[in-house]
PDB file of all heavy atoms in Angstrom:
ATOM      1  N   THR B  86      -0.254   7.285 -16.823  1.00 97.00           N
ATOM      2  CA  THR B  86       1.173   7.574 -16.975  1.00 97.00           C
ATOM      3  C   THR B  86       1.703   8.163 -15.677  1.00 97.00           C
ATOM      4  O   THR B  86       1.187   9.185 -15.202  1.00 97.00           O
ATOM      5  CB  THR B  86       1.427   8.559 -18.127  1.00 97.00           C
ATOM      6  OG1 THR B  86       0.907   8.019 -19.345  1.00 97.00           O
ATOM      7  CG2 THR B  86       2.926   8.818 -18.288  1.00 97.00           C
ATOM      8  N   ILE B  87       2.732   7.529 -15.116  1.00 96.00           N
ATOM      9  CA  ILE B  87       3.368   8.024 -13.901  1.00 96.00           C
ATOM     10  C   ILE B  87       4.622   8.802 -14.287  1.00 96.00           C
ATOM     11  O   ILE B  87       5.301   8.463 -15.255  1.00 96.00           O
ATOM     12  CB  ILE B  87       3.716   6.856 -12.944  1.00 96.00           C
ATOM     13  CG1 ILE B  87       4.140   7.375 -11.567  1.00 96.00           C
ATOM     14  CG2 ILE B  87       4.788   5.954 -13.552  1.00 96.00           C
ATOM     15  CD1 ILE B  87       4.316   6.259 -10.520  1.00 96.00           C
ATOM     16  N   SER B  88       4.880   9.877 -13.548  1.00 93.00           N
ATOM     17  CA  SER B  88       6.108  10.643 -13.778  1.00 93.00           C
ATOM     18  C   SER B  88       6.555  11.250 -12.469  1.00 93.00           C
ATOM     19  O   SER B  88       5.773  11.400 -11.521  1.00 93.00           O
ATOM     20  CB  SER B  88       5.898  11.722 -14.841  1.00 93.00           C
ATOM     21  OG  SER B  88       4.889  12.628 -14.434  1.00 93.00           O
ATOM     22  N   ARG B  89       7.839  11.591 -12.430  1.00 89.00           N
ATOM     23  CA  ARG B  89       8.428  12.112 -11.201  1.00 89.00           C
ATOM     24  C   ARG B  89       9.331  13.282 -11.553  1.00 89.00           C
ATOM     25  O   ARG B  89      10.161  13.176 -12.458  1.00 89.00           O
ATOM     26  CB  ARG B  89       9.235  11.002 -10.514  1.00 89.00           C
ATOM     27  CG  ARG B  89       9.839  11.342  -9.170  1.00 89.00           C
ATOM     28  CD  ARG B  89      10.517  10.093  -8.589  1.00 89.00           C
ATOM     29  NE  ARG B  89      11.120  10.367  -7.288  1.00 89.00           N
ATOM     30  CZ  ARG B  89      11.797   9.473  -6.575  1.00 89.00           C
ATOM     31  NH1 ARG B  89      11.962   8.237  -7.041  1.00 89.00           N
ATOM     32  NH2 ARG B  89      12.313   9.790  -5.410  1.00 89.00           N
ATOM     33  N   ASP B  90       9.145  14.394 -10.869  1.00 87.00           N
ATOM     34  CA  ASP B  90       9.984  15.582 -11.050  1.00 87.00           C
ATOM     35  C   ASP B  90      10.816  15.755  -9.783  1.00 87.00           C
ATOM     36  O   ASP B  90      10.335  16.275  -8.779  1.00 87.00           O
ATOM     37  CB  ASP B  90       9.102  16.808 -11.305  1.00 87.00           C
ATOM     38  CG  ASP B  90       9.919  18.047 -11.637  1.00 87.00           C
ATOM     39  OD1 ASP B  90      11.135  18.069 -11.325  1.00 87.00           O
ATOM     40  OD2 ASP B  90       9.351  18.994 -12.192  1.00 87.00           O
ATOM     41  N   LYS B  91      12.046  15.300  -9.824  1.00 82.00           N
ATOM     42  CA  LYS B  91      12.894  15.361  -8.637  1.00 82.00           C
ATOM     43  C   LYS B  91      13.259  16.782  -8.256  1.00 82.00           C
ATOM     44  O   LYS B  91      13.542  17.062  -7.093  1.00 82.00           O
ATOM     45  CB  LYS B  91      14.148  14.506  -8.834  1.00 82.00           C
ATOM     46  CG  LYS B  91      13.861  13.008  -8.891  1.00 82.00           C
ATOM     47  CD  LYS B  91      15.129  12.183  -8.904  1.00 82.00           C
ATOM     48  CE  LYS B  91      14.810  10.703  -8.879  1.00 82.00           C
ATOM     49  NZ  LYS B  91      16.028   9.859  -8.833  1.00 82.00           N
ATOM     50  N   SER B  92      13.238  17.709  -9.215  1.00 85.00           N
ATOM     51  CA  SER B  92      13.601  19.098  -8.909  1.00 85.00           C
ATOM     52  C   SER B  92      12.569  19.775  -8.019  1.00 85.00           C
ATOM     53  O   SER B  92      12.894  20.695  -7.259  1.00 85.00           O
ATOM     54  CB  SER B  92      13.778  19.896 -10.204  1.00 85.00           C
ATOM     55  OG  SER B  92      12.547  20.027 -10.889  1.00 85.00           O
ATOM     56  N   THR B  93      11.321  19.307  -8.115  1.00 87.00           N
ATOM     57  CA  THR B  93      10.253  19.884  -7.299  1.00 87.00           C
ATOM     58  C   THR B  93       9.715  18.886  -6.284  1.00 87.00           C
ATOM     59  O   THR B  93       8.762  19.179  -5.572  1.00 87.00           O
ATOM     60  CB  THR B  93       9.090  20.367  -8.178  1.00 87.00           C
ATOM     61  OG1 THR B  93       8.567  19.252  -8.911  1.00 87.00           O
ATOM     62  CG2 THR B  93       9.555  21.454  -9.145  1.00 87.00           C
ATOM     63  N   ASN B  94      10.320  17.723  -6.212  1.00 88.00           N
ATOM     64  CA  ASN B  94       9.890  16.666  -5.280  1.00 88.00           C
ATOM     65  C   ASN B  94       8.411  16.315  -5.470  1.00 88.00           C
ATOM     66  O   ASN B  94       7.659  16.196  -4.493  1.00 88.00           O
ATOM     67  CB  ASN B  94      10.155  17.080  -3.834  1.00 88.00           C
ATOM     68  CG  ASN B  94      11.637  17.064  -3.506  1.00 88.00           C
ATOM     69  OD1 ASN B  94      12.396  16.262  -4.047  1.00 88.00           O
ATOM     70  ND2 ASN B  94      12.055  17.956  -2.638  1.00 88.00           N
ATOM     71  N   ARG B  95       8.002  16.173  -6.732  1.00 92.00           N
ATOM     72  CA  ARG B  95       6.606  15.848  -7.009  1.00 92.00           C
ATOM     73  C   ARG B  95       6.491  14.578  -7.845  1.00 92.00           C
ATOM     74  O   ARG B  95       7.318  14.289  -8.705  1.00 92.00           O
ATOM     75  CB  ARG B  95       5.913  16.996  -7.742  1.00 92.00           C
ATOM     76  CG  ARG B  95       5.574  18.181  -6.841  1.00 92.00           C
ATOM     77  CD  ARG B  95       4.792  19.239  -7.596  1.00 92.00           C
ATOM     78  NE  ARG B  95       4.435  20.361  -6.741  1.00 92.00           N
ATOM     79  CZ  ARG B  95       3.332  20.425  -6.017  1.00 92.00           C
ATOM     80  NH1 ARG B  95       2.451  19.433  -6.065  1.00 92.00           N
ATOM     81  NH2 ARG B  95       3.081  21.487  -5.264  1.00 92.00           N
ATOM     82  N   LEU B  96       5.433  13.829  -7.546  1.00 94.00           N
ATOM     83  CA  LEU B  96       5.067  12.637  -8.292  1.00 94.00           C
ATOM     84  C   LEU B  96       3.714  12.906  -8.932  1.00 94.00           C
ATOM     85  O   LEU B  96       2.847  13.531  -8.314  1.00 94.00           O
ATOM     86  CB  LEU B  96       4.973  11.434  -7.346  1.00 94.00           C
ATOM     87  CG  LEU B  96       4.590  10.092  -7.957  1.00 94.00           C
ATOM     88  CD1 LEU B  96       5.758   9.538  -8.780  1.00 94.00           C
ATOM     89  CD2 LEU B  96       4.195   9.104  -6.856  1.00 94.00           C
ATOM     90  N   PHE B  97       3.544  12.457 -10.169  1.00 96.00           N
ATOM     91  CA  PHE B  97       2.299  12.701 -10.891  1.00 96.00           C
ATOM     92  C   PHE B  97       1.703  11.389 -11.393  1.00 96.00           C
ATOM     93  O   PHE B  97       2.416  10.410 -11.614  1.00 96.00           O
ATOM     94  CB  PHE B  97       2.551  13.634 -12.089  1.00 96.00           C
ATOM     95  CG  PHE B  97       3.130  14.958 -11.720  1.00 96.00           C
ATOM     96  CD1 PHE B  97       4.509  15.162 -11.781  1.00 96.00           C
ATOM     97  CD2 PHE B  97       2.322  15.999 -11.302  1.00 96.00           C
ATOM     98  CE1 PHE B  97       5.062  16.384 -11.438  1.00 96.00           C
ATOM     99  CE2 PHE B  97       2.857  17.226 -10.956  1.00 96.00           C
ATOM    100  CZ  PHE B  97       4.233  17.420 -11.024  1.00 96.00           C
ATOM    101  N   LEU B  98       0.393  11.411 -11.596  1.00 98.00           N
ATOM    102  CA  LEU B  98      -0.294  10.298 -12.250  1.00 98.00           C
ATOM    103  C   LEU B  98      -1.288  10.896 -13.240  1.00 98.00           C
ATOM    104  O   LEU B  98      -2.312  11.451 -12.828  1.00 98.00           O
ATOM    105  CB  LEU B  98      -1.001   9.392 -11.241  1.00 98.00           C
ATOM    106  CG  LEU B  98      -1.607   8.116 -11.841  1.00 98.00           C
ATOM    107  CD1 LEU B  98      -0.492   7.183 -12.332  1.00 98.00           C
ATOM    108  CD2 LEU B  98      -2.493   7.395 -10.834  1.00 98.00           C
ATOM    109  N   GLN B  99      -0.943  10.804 -14.523  1.00 98.00           N
ATOM    110  CA  GLN B  99      -1.841  11.255 -15.575  1.00 98.00           C
ATOM    111  C   GLN B  99      -2.781  10.109 -15.898  1.00 98.00           C
ATOM    112  O   GLN B  99      -2.326   9.018 -16.267  1.00 98.00           O
ATOM    113  CB  GLN B  99      -1.041  11.659 -16.815  1.00 98.00           C
ATOM    114  CG  GLN B  99      -1.893  11.913 -18.057  1.00 98.00           C
ATOM    115  CD  GLN B  99      -2.717  13.184 -17.975  1.00 98.00           C
ATOM    116  OE1 GLN B  99      -2.229  14.211 -17.515  1.00 98.00           O
ATOM    117  NE2 GLN B  99      -3.961  13.113 -18.407  1.00 98.00           N
ATOM    118  N   MET B 100      -4.094  10.350 -15.752  1.00 98.00           N
ATOM    119  CA  MET B 100      -5.080   9.292 -15.955  1.00 98.00           C
ATOM    120  C   MET B 100      -5.978   9.665 -17.126  1.00 98.00           C
ATOM    121  O   MET B 100      -6.657  10.698 -17.095  1.00 98.00           O
ATOM    122  CB  MET B 100      -5.917   9.100 -14.679  1.00 98.00           C
ATOM    123  CG  MET B 100      -5.090   8.803 -13.447  1.00 98.00           C
ATOM    124  SD  MET B 100      -6.076   8.465 -11.991  1.00 98.00           S
ATOM    125  CE  MET B 100      -6.852  10.046 -11.742  1.00 98.00           C
ATOM    126  N   ASN B 101      -5.952   8.847 -18.162  1.00 98.00           N
ATOM    127  CA  ASN B 101      -6.784   9.060 -19.361  1.00 98.00           C
ATOM    128  C   ASN B 101      -7.792   7.929 -19.516  1.00 98.00           C
ATOM    129  O   ASN B 101      -7.664   6.876 -18.877  1.00 98.00           O
ATOM    130  CB  ASN B 101      -5.895   9.123 -20.603  1.00 98.00           C
ATOM    131  CG  ASN B 101      -4.936  10.289 -20.582  1.00 98.00           C
ATOM    132  OD1 ASN B 101      -5.235  11.357 -20.039  1.00 98.00           O
ATOM    133  ND2 ASN B 101      -3.749  10.086 -21.157  1.00 98.00           N
ATOM    134  N   SER B 102      -8.783   8.165 -20.369  1.00 98.00           N
ATOM    135  CA  SER B 102      -9.801   7.136 -20.661  1.00 98.00           C
ATOM    136  C   SER B 102     -10.354   6.531 -19.378  1.00 98.00           C
ATOM    137  O   SER B 102     -10.451   5.308 -19.233  1.00 98.00           O
ATOM    138  CB  SER B 102      -9.196   6.049 -21.553  1.00 98.00           C
ATOM    139  OG  SER B 102      -8.686   6.597 -22.748  1.00 98.00           O
ATOM    140  N   LEU B 103     -10.739   7.392 -18.456  1.00 98.00           N
ATOM    141  CA  LEU B 103     -11.177   6.924 -17.144  1.00 98.00           C
ATOM    142  C   LEU B 103     -12.483   6.141 -17.224  1.00 98.00           C
ATOM    143  O   LEU B 103     -13.367   6.442 -18.038  1.00 98.00           O
ATOM    144  CB  LEU B 103     -11.307   8.095 -16.181  1.00 98.00           C
ATOM    145  CG  LEU B 103      -9.964   8.599 -15.636  1.00 98.00           C
ATOM    146  CD1 LEU B 103     -10.087   9.998 -15.068  1.00 98.00           C
ATOM    147  CD2 LEU B 103      -9.419   7.630 -14.588  1.00 98.00           C
ATOM    148  N   ARG B 104     -12.577   5.133 -16.358  1.00 98.00           N
ATOM    149  CA  ARG B 104     -13.739   4.245 -16.302  1.00 98.00           C
ATOM    150  C   ARG B 104     -14.341   4.306 -14.896  1.00 98.00           C
ATOM    151  O   ARG B 104     -13.689   4.701 -13.940  1.00 98.00           O
ATOM    152  CB  ARG B 104     -13.304   2.812 -16.605  1.00 98.00           C
ATOM    153  CG  ARG B 104     -12.534   2.648 -17.903  1.00 98.00           C
ATOM    154  CD  ARG B 104     -11.861   1.284 -17.941  1.00 98.00           C
ATOM    155  NE  ARG B 104     -11.108   1.066 -19.187  1.00 98.00           N
ATOM    156  CZ  ARG B 104     -10.241   0.082 -19.371  1.00 98.00           C
ATOM    157  NH1 ARG B 104     -10.030  -0.807 -18.399  1.00 98.00           N
ATOM    158  NH2 ARG B 104      -9.620  -0.041 -20.521  1.00 98.00           N
ATOM    159  N   ALA B 105     -15.582   3.847 -14.796  1.00 98.00           N
ATOM    160  CA  ALA B 105     -16.243   3.833 -13.496  1.00 98.00           C
ATOM    161  C   ALA B 105     -15.434   3.046 -12.475  1.00 98.00           C
ATOM    162  O   ALA B 105     -15.367   3.413 -11.295  1.00 98.00           O
ATOM    163  CB  ALA B 105     -17.646   3.252 -13.636  1.00 98.00           C
TER     164      ALA B 105
END
Side-chain angles (χ1 to χ4, degrees):
Chain B
T86 302
I87 191 172
S88 60
R89 184 176 180 182
D90 186 341
K91 292 187 177 182
S92 66
T93 60
N94 288 328
R95 285 185 179 271
L96 180 72
F97 301 96
L98 187 67
Q99 170 71 42
M100 304 184 294
N101 297 328
S102 303
L103 283 161
R104 306 166 180 167

